[in-house]
Amino acid sequence: MVKKKNEAAAKKAGRKNTTGVTFPNSSRAYKSLNHQEKKKFLTYQKEYVKNHYRTYLIRMNAEEDADIIAWLEGHDNMSDCIRECVAAARNRELKKSAKK
């Protein structure tokens, strides 16, 4: 019984999801995937990012926004910092609209 579990675990290297895409994991690196598997994986990854993430670009003037830039650069994770600021502004706006 133990032998069958080990064989099954060995066969799971590069597990596949329901789409048939082979994913790199700890036992099978991306470099070891063949060309077709890499192409499928990258296509799947691109679609996943397209459907689940949004990207926003903020340009700031280095002179006019120097204090904001310095404050942001002082944080380890700028994305979380910006996310928290936006959430706080949203909550303030919701409270103002609820009072009216």
Side-chain angles (χ1 to χ4, degrees):
M1 185 67 164
V2 174
K3 189 174 183 180
K4 286 184 180 180
K5 285 184 180 180
N6 290 340
E7 288 173 7
K11 289 180 183 179
K12 285 189 178 181
R15 290 174 291 169
K16 294 183 180 184
N17 68 3
T18 56
T19 62
V21 176
T22 305
F23 291 93
N25 58 26
S26 59
S27 63
R28 186 169 186 195
Y30 177 79
K31 289 188 260 183
S32 70
L33 299 178
N34 66 37
H35 179 71
Q36 185 179 10
E37 289 172 331
K38 285 180 183 177
K39 190 173 180 179
K40 267 186 165 181
F41 172 70
L42 292 175
T43 303
Y44 173 82
Q45 192 176 36
K46 183 178 177 182
E47 283 297 315
Y48 183 87
V49 169
K50 181 180 175 183
N51 293 330
H52 292 88
Y53 291 92
R54 298 294 176 265
T55 301
Y56 298 96
L57 173 68
I58 301 173
R59 291 180 190 243
M60 296 185 185
N61 186 305
E63 296 168 1
E64 293 175 9
D65 300 321
D67 55 338
I68 297 171
I69 293 168
W71 181 76
L72 276 173
E73 288 178 350
H75 291 81
D76 292 335
N77 190 336
M78 288 186 213
S79 293
D80 280 345
C81 182
I82 293 170
R83 203 175 286 121
E84 288 171 10
C85 291
V86 170
R90 181 178 174 269
N91 289 339
R92 285 192 304 270
E93 191 175 303
L94 289 173
K95 284 180 184 178
K96 284 181 184 177
S97 64
K99 288 181 181 179
K100 291 181 181 180

